[in-house]
Amino acid sequence: MTKCKLEYVWLDGYQPTQSLRSKTKIVGDFSGNVEDAPLWSFDGSSTEQAPGGSSDCLLKPVKVIPDPGRLGTGFLVMCEVLNADGTPHRTNGRATIDDDDGDFWFGFEQEYTLWNPDTNKPIGFPAEGYPGPQGPYYCSVGTGKAVGREVVEEHLELCLQAGLNVEGINAEVMMGQWEFQCFSKGAKDAGDEIWLSRYLLERVAEAHGMSINWHCKPVQGDWNGSGMHANFSNEVLRTCGSQEVYEAICQAFEPRIKEHIDVYGADNDQRLTGLHETQSIDKFSYGVSDRGASIRIPIATVENGWKGWLEDRRPASNADPYMVASAIIATVKSASVPA
């Protein structure tokens, strides 16, 4: 009998930003199929998800992938958190997604900052003061410009070996800041992929004595913040061929600014200032190729005859992709689309 390590991964109840938790279950001859991963439980009183007197919460497996970072046979098991009676826990953002038929496709652009725990600054920053101003670091190569590449490359390789649909990586505008992109057909799976990719990144950084700073404005001043731009489409956006339809869907977002900002990540006001390729947090705009807008209409969509996708540029790097997708889907479905 082959002993298999199942690493159950879930989101805790910490606010305003949930953290990843995980623990290992040893089983024999596991098939690798999610339906064969058993329901499990954990102590919710230690994760801000239950009182001590009634502390059991349930872990419901929703996605299983190989775990290439472990010796032997291992799998990562992404889980939803349920109450003891089997209903979704209040912290379970995945359960709020209204996309049972997978009509919505999402591509998340996950920015993050590699962090030096000794200096409490991004890696590459001197212990005192700052590096040279932004400009040379975006998509950079070379010592003194691209820092932390060994972590980024190791993370990319683990994601690909695990079967996660990571579509690219690049160095970002601030020194020590990087990005990876994940795409999925189906909103729930898109959230699963981002959370499992985040988990693997945390583990790689841990092995290198670094940490990952998910905060959307990790360095105050004239430095770019970190976002998680949400590229999205449904069948209508992919096939309509109509500028009017696109504008109607974009306009549906304007009266729902609060509903979106409430789930687009903590401290996002520090990032959405109208500077550094952002729109102000209390305003809404959209435009073709406009990276200073709330929603960008990609030029590729226009050149394809208004068939493609939209990009919501407001979600922060620390946002829950489940909640982001849930809010976007609700707003798109509310739009009064011309016949």
Side-chain angles (χ1 to χ4, degrees), residues 165-252:
N165 193 33
V166 174
E167 295 201 324
I169 59 171
N170 58 269
E172 267 301 334
V173 178
M174 184 178 70
M175 177 180 273
Q177 183 186 48
W178 291 79
E179 173 184 300
F180 64 87
Q181 305 95 33
C182 281
F183 170 77
S184 287
K185 295 179 179 180
K188 291 180 179 179
D189 191 66
D192 297 340
E193 295 249 335
I194 284 291
W195 278 116
L196 287 167
S197 298
R198 285 179 177 181
Y199 175 82
L200 285 173
L201 182 57
E202 290 274 11
R203 228 167 61 179
V204 172
E206 179 185 309
H208 285 267
M210 300 180 194
S211 59
I212 304 299
N213 193 324
W214 301 104
H215 195 274
C216 61
K217 188 70 174 180
V219 181
Q220 297 299 313
D222 193 21
W223 302 93
N224 269 39
S226 294
M228 186 184 65
H229 302 155
N231 298 275
F232 63 93
S233 70
N234 63 354
E235 187 69 16
V236 171
L237 290 168
R238 292 190 291 272
T239 62
C240 69
S242 166
Q243 181 176 349
E244 285 184 335
V245 168
Y246 266 81
E247 290 183 345
I249 289 174
C250 287
Q251 289 162 8

Coordinates of all heavy atoms in Angstrom, one line a residue, residues 165-252:
N165 N -3.0 26.2 -13.9 CA -2.9 26.9 -15.2 C -2.3 28.3 -15.0 O -3.0 29.3 -15.3 CB -4.3 27.0 -15.8 CG -4.3 27.4 -17.2 OD1 -3.3 27.0 -17.9 ND2 -5.3 28.1 -17.7
V166 N -1.1 28.4 -14.6 CA -0.4 29.7 -14.6 C 0.1 30.0 -16.0 O 0.7 29.2 -16.7 CB 0.9 29.6 -13.6 CG1 1.7 30.9 -13.7 CG2 0.4 29.3 -12.2
E167 N -0.3 31.2 -16.5 CA -0.1 31.5 -17.9 C 1.1 32.5 -18.1 O 1.5 32.8 -19.2 CB -1.3 32.1 -18.5 CG -2.5 31.1 -18.5 CD -3.5 31.5 -19.5 OE1 -3.8 32.7 -19.7 OE2 -4.1 30.6 -20.2
G168 N 1.7 32.9 -17.0 CA 2.9 33.8 -17.1 C 3.3 34.4 -15.8 O 2.7 34.3 -14.8
I169 N 4.5 35.0 -15.8 CA 5.1 35.7 -14.7 C 5.9 36.9 -15.2 O 6.3 37.0 -16.4 CB 6.1 34.8 -13.9 CG1 7.2 34.3 -14.8 CG2 5.4 33.7 -13.2 CD1 8.4 33.7 -14.0
N170 N 6.0 37.9 -14.4 CA 6.9 39.1 -14.7 C 7.3 39.8 -13.5 O 6.5 39.8 -12.5 CB 6.3 40.0 -15.8 CG 4.9 40.6 -15.3 OD1 3.9 40.0 -15.6 ND2 5.0 41.7 -14.7
A171 N 8.4 40.5 -13.5 CA 8.8 41.4 -12.5 C 7.9 42.7 -12.6 O 7.6 43.1 -13.8 CB 10.3 41.8 -12.6
E172 N 7.5 43.2 -11.5 CA 6.6 44.4 -11.5 C 7.3 45.7 -11.3 O 8.5 45.8 -11.3 CB 5.4 44.2 -10.5 CG 4.2 43.5 -11.1 CD 3.6 44.3 -12.3 OE1 3.8 45.6 -12.3 OE2 3.0 43.7 -13.2
V173 N 6.5 46.8 -11.1 CA 7.1 48.1 -11.2 C 8.0 48.5 -10.0 O 9.0 49.2 -10.2 CB 5.9 49.2 -11.3 CG1 6.5 50.6 -11.4 CG2 5.1 48.9 -12.6
M174 N 7.7 48.0 -8.8 CA 8.5 48.3 -7.7 C 9.5 47.2 -7.5 O 9.3 46.0 -7.8 CB 7.6 48.3 -6.4 CG 8.4 48.7 -5.1 SD 7.3 48.8 -3.7 CE 6.8 47.1 -3.4
M175 N 10.7 47.5 -7.0 CA 11.7 46.5 -6.8 C 11.2 45.5 -5.8 O 10.6 45.8 -4.8 CB 13.0 47.2 -6.2 CG 14.1 46.1 -5.9 SD 15.6 46.9 -5.2 CE 16.5 47.2 -6.8
G176 N 11.4 44.2 -6.1 CA 11.0 43.1 -5.2 C 9.6 42.7 -5.4 O 9.1 41.8 -4.8
Q177 N 8.9 43.4 -6.3 CA 7.4 43.1 -6.6 C 7.3 42.3 -7.9 O 8.0 42.6 -8.9 CB 6.7 44.4 -6.8 CG 5.2 44.3 -7.0 CD 4.6 45.7 -7.3 OE1 5.1 46.4 -8.2 NE2 3.5 46.0 -6.6
W178 N 6.5 41.2 -7.9 CA 6.4 40.3 -9.0 C 4.9 40.0 -9.2 O 4.0 40.4 -8.4 CB 7.1 39.0 -8.7 CG 8.6 39.1 -8.8 CD1 9.4 39.6 -7.7 CD2 9.5 38.8 -9.8 NE1 10.7 39.6 -8.1 CE2 10.8 39.1 -9.4 CE3 9.3 38.3 -11.1 CZ2 12.0 38.9 -10.2 CZ3 10.4 38.1 -11.9 CH2 11.7 38.4 -11.5
E179 N 4.6 39.3 -10.3 CA 3.3 38.9 -10.6 C 3.2 37.6 -11.3 O 4.1 37.2 -12.1 CB 2.7 40.0 -11.6 CG 1.3 39.6 -12.2 CD 0.8 40.7 -13.2 OE1 0.7 41.8 -12.8 OE2 0.6 40.3 -14.3
F180 N 2.2 36.8 -11.1 CA 1.8 35.6 -11.9 C 0.4 35.7 -12.3 O -0.4 36.4 -11.7 CB 2.1 34.3 -11.1 CG 1.3 34.1 -9.9 CD1 0.1 33.5 -10.0 CD2 1.8 34.4 -8.7 CE1 -0.7 33.2 -8.9 CE2 1.0 34.2 -7.5 CZ -0.2 33.6 -7.6
Q181 N 0.0 35.1 -13.4 CA -1.3 35.1 -13.9 C -1.9 33.7 -14.0 O -1.2 32.8 -14.4 CB -1.4 35.7 -15.3 CG -0.7 37.1 -15.4 CD 0.7 37.1 -15.8 OE1 1.1 36.3 -16.6 NE2 1.5 38.0 -15.3
C182 N -3.1 33.5 -13.5 CA -3.8 32.3 -13.6 C -5.1 32.5 -14.4 O -5.8 33.5 -14.2 CB -4.2 31.7 -12.2 SG -2.8 30.9 -11.4
F183 N -5.5 31.5 -15.2 CA -6.8 31.5 -16.0 C -7.5 30.3 -15.8 O -7.0 29.2 -15.8 CB -6.5 31.7 -17.5 CG -7.7 31.6 -18.3 CD1 -8.7 32.6 -18.4 CD2 -7.9 30.4 -19.0 CE1 -9.8 32.4 -19.2 CE2 -9.0 30.2 -19.8 CZ -10.0 31.2 -19.9
S184 N -8.9 30.4 -15.6 CA -9.7 29.2 -15.5 C -11.1 29.5 -16.2 O -11.6 30.6 -16.1 CB -10.0 28.8 -14.1 OG -8.8 28.2 -13.5
K185 N -11.7 28.4 -16.7 CA -13.0 28.5 -17.2 C -13.9 28.0 -16.0 O -14.0 26.8 -15.7 CB -13.2 27.6 -18.4 CG -12.4 28.1 -19.6 CD -12.6 27.2 -20.8 CE -11.8 27.7 -22.0 NZ -12.0 26.8 -23.2
G186 N -14.6 29.0 -15.4 CA -15.4 28.7 -14.2 C -14.8 29.5 -13.0 O -13.6 29.4 -12.7
A187 N -15.7 30.3 -12.4 CA -15.2 31.2 -11.4 C -14.7 30.5 -10.1 O -13.7 30.9 -9.5 CB -16.4 32.1 -11.0
K188 N -15.3 29.4 -9.7 CA -14.9 28.7 -8.5 C -13.5 28.1 -8.8 O -12.6 28.2 -7.9 CB -15.9 27.6 -8.2 CG -17.2 28.1 -7.6 CD -18.2 27.0 -7.3 CE -19.5 27.6 -6.7 NZ -20.5 26.5 -6.4
D189 N -13.3 27.5 -9.9 CA -12.0 26.9 -10.2 C -10.9 28.0 -10.3 O -9.8 27.8 -9.9 CB -12.0 26.1 -11.5 CG -10.8 25.3 -11.7 OD1 -10.6 24.4 -10.9 OD2 -10.0 25.6 -12.6
A190 N -11.3 29.2 -10.8 CA -10.3 30.3 -10.9 C -9.9 30.7 -9.5 O -8.7 30.9 -9.3 CB -11.0 31.5 -11.6
G191 N -10.8 30.8 -8.5 CA -10.4 31.1 -7.2 C -9.6 30.0 -6.6 O -8.6 30.2 -5.9
D192 N -9.9 28.7 -6.8 CA -9.1 27.6 -6.3 C -7.7 27.7 -6.8 O -6.7 27.5 -6.1 CB -9.7 26.2 -6.8 CG -11.1 26.0 -6.3 OD1 -11.5 26.6 -5.3 OD2 -11.8 25.1 -7.0
E193 N -7.5 28.0 -8.1 CA -6.2 28.1 -8.7 C -5.3 29.2 -8.0 O -4.1 29.0 -7.8 CB -6.3 28.3 -10.2 CG -6.9 27.1 -10.9 CD -5.9 26.4 -11.8 OE1 -4.9 26.9 -12.3 OE2 -6.2 25.2 -12.1
I194 N -5.9 30.4 -7.8 CA -5.2 31.4 -7.2 C -4.8 31.1 -5.7 O -3.6 31.3 -5.3 CB -6.0 32.7 -7.2 CG1 -6.0 33.4 -8.6 CG2 -5.4 33.8 -6.2 CD1 -4.7 33.9 -9.0
W195 N -5.7 30.5 -5.0 CA -5.4 30.2 -3.6 C -4.3 29.1 -3.5 O -3.4 29.1 -2.7 CB -6.6 29.8 -2.8 CG -7.5 30.9 -2.3 CD1 -8.7 31.3 -2.7 CD2 -7.0 31.9 -1.4 NE1 -9.1 32.4 -2.0 CE2 -8.1 32.8 -1.2 CE3 -5.8 32.1 -0.7 CZ2 -8.0 33.9 -0.3 CZ3 -5.8 33.2 0.2 CH2 -6.8 34.1 0.4
L196 N -4.4 28.1 -4.4 CA -3.4 27.0 -4.4 C -2.0 27.6 -4.9 O -1.0 27.2 -4.3 CB -3.8 25.8 -5.2 CG -4.9 25.0 -4.6 CD1 -5.5 24.0 -5.6 CD2 -4.4 24.2 -3.4
S197 N -2.0 28.5 -5.8 CA -0.8 29.1 -6.3 C -0.2 30.0 -5.1 O 1.0 30.0 -4.9 CB -1.1 30.0 -7.5 OG -1.5 29.2 -8.6
R198 N -1.1 30.7 -4.4 CA -0.6 31.5 -3.3 C 0.0 30.5 -2.2 O 1.1 30.9 -1.6 CB -1.8 32.3 -2.6 CG -2.2 33.5 -3.4 CD -3.4 34.1 -2.7 NE -3.9 35.3 -3.4 CZ -4.8 36.1 -2.9 NH1 -5.5 35.8 -1.8 NH2 -5.2 37.2 -3.6
Y199 N -0.6 29.4 -2.0 CA -0.1 28.5 -1.0 C 1.3 28.0 -1.4 O 2.2 28.0 -0.5 CB -1.1 27.3 -0.8 CG -0.5 26.2 0.1 CD1 -0.7 26.3 1.5 CD2 0.1 25.1 -0.4 CE1 -0.2 25.3 2.3 CE2 0.7 24.1 0.4 CZ 0.5 24.3 1.8 OH 1.0 23.3 2.6
L200 N 1.5 27.6 -2.6 CA 2.8 27.2 -3.1 C 3.8 28.3 -3.0 O 5.0 28.0 -2.6 CB 2.7 26.6 -4.5 CG 2.0 25.2 -4.6 CD1 1.8 24.9 -6.1 CD2 2.8 24.2 -3.9
L201 N 3.4 29.5 -3.3 CA 4.4 30.6 -3.2 C 4.8 30.9 -1.7 O 6.0 31.1 -1.4 CB 3.7 31.9 -3.7 CG 4.6 33.1 -3.8 CD1 5.9 32.9 -4.6 CD2 3.8 34.3 -4.3
E202 N 3.9 30.8 -0.8 CA 4.2 30.9 0.6 C 5.2 29.8 1.0 O 6.2 30.1 1.8 CB 3.0 30.8 1.5 CG 2.0 32.0 1.4 CD 2.3 33.1 2.3 OE1 3.4 33.1 2.9 OE2 1.5 34.0 2.4
R203 N 5.0 28.6 0.5 CA 5.9 27.5 0.9 C 7.3 27.7 0.3 O 8.3 27.4 1.0 CB 5.3 26.2 0.5 CG 5.3 25.2 1.6 CD 4.4 24.0 1.3 NE 4.8 23.2 0.1 CZ 4.2 22.1 -0.3 NH1 3.1 21.7 0.4 NH2 4.6 21.5 -1.3
V204 N 7.4 28.2 -0.9 CA 8.7 28.4 -1.5 C 9.5 29.5 -0.8 O 10.6 29.4 -0.5 CB 8.6 28.8 -3.0 CG1 9.9 29.2 -3.6 CG2 8.0 27.6 -3.8
A205 N 8.8 30.6 -0.5 CA 9.4 31.7 0.2 C 9.9 31.3 1.6 O 11.0 31.6 2.1 CB 8.4 32.9 0.4
E206 N 9.1 30.5 2.3 CA 9.4 29.9 3.6 C 10.7 29.1 3.5 O 11.6 29.3 4.4 CB 8.3 29.0 4.0 CG 8.4 28.2 5.3 CD 7.2 27.3 5.5 OE1 6.0 27.7 5.3 OE2 7.5 26.1 5.7
A207 N 10.9 28.3 2.5 CA 12.2 27.6 2.3 C 13.4 28.4 2.0 O 14.5 28.0 2.3 CB 12.0 26.6 1.2
H208 N 13.1 29.7 1.5 CA 14.2 30.6 1.2 C 14.5 31.6 2.3 O 15.2 32.6 2.1 CB 14.0 31.3 -0.1 CG 14.2 30.4 -1.3 ND1 15.4 30.4 -2.0 CD2 13.4 29.5 -2.0 CE1 15.3 29.5 -3.0 NE2 14.1 29.0 -3.0
G209 N 13.8 31.5 3.4 CA 13.9 32.4 4.5 C 13.3 33.8 4.2 O 13.7 34.8 4.8
M210 N 12.3 33.8 3.3 CA 11.6 35.1 2.9 C 10.2 34.9 3.3 O 9.7 33.9 3.7 CB 11.7 35.4 1.4 CG 13.1 35.5 0.9 SD 13.1 35.9 -0.9 CE 14.8 35.6 -1.3
S211 N 9.4 36.0 3.2 CA 8.0 36.0 3.3 C 7.4 36.7 2.1 O 8.0 37.3 1.4 CB 7.6 36.6 4.7 OG 8.0 37.9 4.7
I212 N 6.0 36.5 2.0 CA 5.3 37.1 1.0 C 4.4 38.2 1.6 O 3.6 37.9 2.5 CB 4.4 36.1 0.2 CG1 5.3 35.0 -0.4 CG2 3.7 36.8 -0.9 CD1 6.3 35.4 -1.3
N213 N 4.5 39.4 1.1 CA 3.7 40.5 1.5 C 2.6 40.7 0.5 O 2.8 41.1 -0.6 CB 4.5 41.8 1.7 CG 3.8 42.9 2.4 OD1 2.5 43.0 2.3 ND2 4.5 43.7 3.2
W214 N 1.3 40.4 0.9 CA 0.2 40.5 0.1 C -0.5 41.9 0.1 O -1.4 42.1 -0.6 CB -0.8 39.4 0.4 CG -0.3 38.0 0.3 CD1 0.0 37.2 1.3 CD2 -0.1 37.3 -0.9 NE1 0.5 36.0 0.8 CE2 0.4 36.0 -0.6 CE3 -0.2 37.6 -2.3 CZ2 0.8 35.0 -1.5 CZ3 0.1 36.6 -3.2 CH2 0.6 35.3 -2.8
H215 N 0.0 42.7 1.0 CA -0.6 44.0 1.2 C -0.6 44.8 -0.1 O 0.3 44.8 -0.8 CB 0.1 44.8 2.3 CG -0.8 46.0 2.8 ND1 -0.7 47.2 2.3 CD2 -1.6 46.1 3.9 CE1 -1.5 48.0 2.9 NE2 -2.1 47.4 3.9
C216 N -1.7 45.6 -0.3 CA -1.9 46.3 -1.6 C -1.0 47.6 -1.6 O -0.9 48.1 -2.7 CB -3.3 46.6 -1.8 SG -4.1 47.7 -0.5
K217 N -0.4 48.0 -0.5 CA 0.5 49.2 -0.6 C 1.6 48.9 0.5 O 1.6 49.5 1.5 CB -0.3 50.5 -0.2 CG 0.5 51.7 -0.4 CD 0.8 52.1 -1.9 CE 1.5 53.4 -2.0 NZ 1.8 53.8 -3.4
P218 N 2.5 48.0 0.2 CA 3.4 47.6 1.2 C 4.5 48.6 1.5 O 5.1 48.6 2.6 CB 4.1 46.4 0.5 CG 3.9 46.5 -0.9 CD 2.6 47.2 -1.1
V219 N 4.7 49.6 0.6 CA 5.7 50.7 0.8 C 5.0 52.0 0.5 O 4.5 52.2 -0.6 CB 6.9 50.5 -0.1 CG1 7.9 51.7 0.2 CG2 7.6 49.2 0.2
Q220 N 4.9 52.9 1.5 CA 4.2 54.1 1.3 C 5.1 55.1 0.5 O 6.3 54.9 0.4 CB 3.9 54.8 2.7 CG 3.0 54.0 3.5 CD 1.6 53.9 2.9 OE1 1.0 54.8 2.4 NE2 1.1 52.7 2.9
G221 N 4.5 56.0 -0.2 CA 5.2 57.0 -1.0 C 5.1 56.7 -2.5 O 4.1 56.1 -2.9
D222 N 6.0 57.2 -3.3 CA 5.9 57.1 -4.7 C 6.3 55.7 -5.2 O 7.3 55.6 -6.0 CB 6.8 58.2 -5.4 CG 6.4 58.4 -6.8 OD1 5.4 58.0 -7.3 OD2 7.3 58.9 -7.6
W223 N 5.6 54.7 -4.7 CA 5.8 53.3 -5.2 C 4.5 52.7 -5.5 O 3.5 52.9 -4.9 CB 6.5 52.5 -4.0 CG 7.8 53.1 -3.6 CD1 8.0 54.0 -2.5 CD2 9.1 52.9 -4.1 NE1 9.3 54.3 -2.4 CE2 10.0 53.6 -3.4 CE3 9.6 52.1 -5.2 CZ2 11.4 53.7 -3.7 CZ3 10.9 52.1 -5.5 CH2 11.8 52.9 -4.7
N224 N 4.5 51.9 -6.6 CA 3.3 51.2 -7.0 C 2.7 50.3 -5.9 O 3.5 49.7 -5.2 CB 3.5 50.4 -8.3 CG 3.3 51.2 -9.5 OD1 3.6 52.4 -9.6 ND2 2.7 50.6 -10.5
G225 N 1.4 50.3 -5.8 CA 0.8 49.3 -5.0 C 0.7 47.9 -5.7 O 1.1 47.8 -6.9
S226 N 0.1 47.0 -5.1 CA -0.1 45.6 -5.6 C -1.6 45.3 -5.8 O -2.4 45.5 -4.9 CB 0.5 44.6 -4.7 OG 1.9 44.7 -4.6
G227 N -1.9 44.8 -7.0 CA -3.3 44.5 -7.3 C -3.5 43.1 -7.7 O -2.5 42.3 -7.7
M228 N -4.7 42.7 -7.9 CA -5.1 41.4 -8.5 C -6.1 41.7 -9.6 O -7.3 41.4 -9.4 CB -5.6 40.5 -7.4 CG -5.8 39.0 -7.9 SD -6.5 37.9 -6.7 CE -8.1 38.7 -6.4
H229 N -5.7 42.3 -10.7 CA -6.6 42.6 -11.7 C -7.4 41.4 -12.1 O -6.9 40.3 -12.3 CB -5.8 43.2 -12.9 CG -5.0 44.4 -12.6 ND1 -3.9 44.7 -13.4 CD2 -5.1 45.3 -11.7 CE1 -3.4 45.8 -12.9 NE2 -4.1 46.2 -11.8
A230 N -8.7 41.6 -12.3 CA -9.6 40.5 -12.7 C -10.1 40.6 -14.1 O -10.9 41.5 -14.4 CB -10.8 40.5 -11.7
N231 N -9.6 39.8 -15.0 CA -10.1 39.7 -16.3 C -11.2 38.7 -16.4 O -11.1 37.6 -15.9 CB -9.0 39.3 -17.3 CG -7.8 40.2 -17.3 OD1 -7.8 41.2 -18.0 ND2 -6.8 40.0 -16.4
F232 N -12.4 39.1 -17.0 CA -13.5 38.2 -16.9 C -14.3 38.3 -18.2 O -14.3 39.3 -18.9 CB -14.4 38.6 -15.7 CG -15.0 40.0 -15.8 CD1 -16.3 40.2 -16.3 CD2 -14.3 41.1 -15.3 CE1 -16.8 41.5 -16.4 CE2 -14.8 42.4 -15.3 CZ -16.1 42.6 -15.9
S233 N -15.0 37.2 -18.4 CA -16.0 37.2 -19.6 C -17.1 36.2 -19.3 O -16.9 35.3 -18.4 CB -15.2 36.8 -20.9 OG -14.8 35.5 -20.8
N234 N -18.2 36.3 -20.0 CA -19.2 35.2 -20.0 C -19.5 35.1 -21.5 O -18.9 35.7 -22.4 CB -20.4 35.5 -19.2 CG -21.1 36.8 -19.6 OD1 -20.7 37.5 -20.5 ND2 -22.3 37.1 -19.0
E235 N -20.5 34.2 -21.8 CA -20.8 33.9 -23.2 C -21.2 35.2 -24.0 O -20.9 35.4 -25.1 CB -21.9 32.9 -23.3 CG -22.3 32.4 -24.7 CD -21.2 31.6 -25.3 OE1 -20.3 31.1 -24.6 OE2 -21.2 31.4 -26.5
V236 N -21.9 36.1 -23.3 CA -22.4 37.3 -23.9 C -21.1 38.2 -24.3 O -21.0 38.6 -25.5 CB -23.3 38.2 -22.9 CG1 -23.5 39.5 -23.5 CG2 -24.6 37.4 -22.7
L237 N -20.2 38.4 -23.4 CA -19.0 39.2 -23.7 C -18.2 38.5 -24.8 O -17.5 39.2 -25.6 CB -18.2 39.4 -22.4 CG -18.9 40.4 -21.4 CD1 -18.1 40.3 -20.1 CD2 -18.9 41.8 -21.9
R238 N -18.1 37.2 -24.8 CA -17.3 36.5 -25.7 C -17.8 36.5 -27.1 O -17.1 36.3 -28.1 CB -17.0 35.1 -25.2 CG -16.2 35.0 -24.0 CD -15.8 33.5 -23.7 NE -16.9 32.7 -23.3 CZ -17.3 32.5 -22.0 NH1 -16.7 33.2 -21.0 NH2 -18.3 31.7 -21.7
T239 N -19.2 36.7 -27.3 CA -19.8 36.5 -28.6 C -20.6 37.7 -29.1 O -21.0 37.7 -30.3 CB -20.7 35.3 -28.6 OG1 -21.7 35.5 -27.6 CG2 -19.9 34.0 -28.2
C240 N -20.9 38.7 -28.3 CA -22.0 39.6 -28.7 C -21.6 40.5 -29.9 O -22.5 40.8 -30.7 CB -22.3 40.5 -27.5 SG -21.0 41.7 -27.0
G241 N -20.3 40.9 -30.0 CA -20.0 41.8 -31.1 C -20.6 43.1 -31.1 O -20.9 43.7 -32.1
S242 N -20.9 43.6 -29.9 CA -21.6 44.9 -29.7 C -21.0 45.8 -28.7 O -20.9 45.5 -27.5 CB -23.1 44.6 -29.3 OG -23.7 45.7 -28.9
Q243 N -20.6 47.0 -29.2 CA -20.1 48.0 -28.2 C -21.2 48.4 -27.2 O -20.9 48.7 -26.1 CB -19.6 49.3 -29.0 CG -19.1 50.4 -28.1 CD -18.5 51.6 -28.9 OE1 -18.4 51.5 -30.2 NE2 -18.2 52.6 -28.3
E244 N -22.4 48.5 -27.7 CA -23.5 48.9 -26.8 C -23.7 47.9 -25.6 O -23.9 48.3 -24.5 CB -24.9 48.9 -27.6 CG -25.0 50.1 -28.5 CD -26.4 50.1 -29.1 OE1 -27.0 49.1 -29.3 OE2 -26.8 51.2 -29.5
V245 N -23.5 46.6 -25.9 CA -23.6 45.6 -24.9 C -22.5 45.8 -23.9 O -22.7 45.7 -22.6 CB -23.6 44.2 -25.5 CG1 -23.4 43.1 -24.4 CG2 -24.9 43.9 -26.2
Y246 N -21.3 46.0 -24.4 CA -20.1 46.2 -23.5 C -20.3 47.4 -22.6 O -20.0 47.4 -21.4 CB -18.8 46.3 -24.3 CG -18.1 45.0 -24.5 CD1 -18.5 44.1 -25.4 CD2 -17.0 44.7 -23.6 CE1 -17.9 42.9 -25.6 CE2 -16.4 43.4 -23.8 CZ -16.8 42.6 -24.7 OH -16.2 41.4 -24.9
E247 N -20.8 48.5 -23.2 CA -21.0 49.7 -22.4 C -22.1 49.5 -21.3 O -22.0 50.0 -20.2 CB -21.3 50.9 -23.3 CG -20.1 51.3 -24.1 CD -20.4 52.5 -25.0 OE1 -21.5 52.9 -25.2 OE2 -19.4 53.1 -25.5
A248 N -23.2 48.8 -21.7 CA -24.3 48.5 -20.7 C -23.7 47.7 -19.5 O -24.1 48.0 -18.4 CB -25.4 47.8 -21.4
I249 N -22.9 46.7 -19.8 CA -22.3 45.9 -18.7 C -21.4 46.7 -17.9 O -21.4 46.7 -16.6 CB -21.6 44.7 -19.3 CG1 -22.6 43.7 -19.8 CG2 -20.7 44.0 -18.2 CD1 -22.1 42.5 -20.6
C250 N -20.5 47.6 -18.5 CA -19.7 48.4 -17.7 C -20.5 49.4 -16.8 O -20.1 49.6 -15.7 CB -18.7 49.2 -18.6 SG -17.4 48.3 -19.4
Q251 N -21.5 50.0 -17.4 CA -22.3 50.9 -16.7 C -23.0 50.3 -15.5 O -23.4 51.0 -14.5 CB -23.3 51.6 -17.6 CG -22.7 52.5 -18.6 CD -23.6 52.9 -19.8 OE1 -24.8 52.5 -19.9 NE2 -23.0 53.5 -20.8
A252 N -23.3 49.0 -15.5 CA -23.9 48.3 -14.4 C -23.0 48.3 -13.1 O -23.5 48.2 -12.0 CB -24.3 46.9 -14.8

